[in-house]
Amino acid sequence: MMNADMDAVDAKNQVELEEKTRLINQVLELQHTLEDLSARVDAVKEENLKLKSENQVLGQYIENLMSVSSVFQTTDTKSKRK
């Protein structure tokens, strides 16, 4: 009987060990996934800042072009009527 009890305990311990190993592997996989996602978020933030800066430069460039172009100048209707 003792031998059967020992085998049952060993089998239970083996199942628990396998479950712990599986959970540890899942945790490690999730940690790697989180690291990958964090790196991706950082890259997207950096790209977003770059694009915002480029948009500001382009906006200023367009404003400058509009200010020097006669097409976009405001007209004084009173002086044109004279």
Side-chain angles (χ1 to χ4, degrees), residues 15-76:
V15 168
E16 287 178 1
L17 182 61
E18 288 173 0
E19 179 67 12
K20 286 180 183 179
T21 302
R22 186 183 67 79
L23 290 173
I24 288 170
N25 288 334
Q26 279 184 331
V27 168
L28 291 173
E29 184 178 337
L30 289 171
Q31 284 178 336
H32 293 302
T33 302
L34 180 59
E35 289 171 359
D36 292 343
L37 288 173
S38 293
R40 178 69 181 133
V41 166
D42 290 341
V44 169
K45 282 181 181 179
E46 192 173 309
E47 181 69 16
N48 186 36
L49 288 174
K50 180 182 167 192
L51 291 174
K52 278 184 179 181
S53 176
E54 289 176 5
N55 282 344
Q56 287 176 341
V57 170
L58 287 173
Q60 187 63 45
Y61 178 72
I62 291 169
E63 284 180 29
N64 291 342
L65 286 177
M66 290 173 60
S67 69
V68 297
S69 173
S70 61
V71 174
F72 296 106
Q73 294 297 319
T74 60
T75 58
D76 187 1

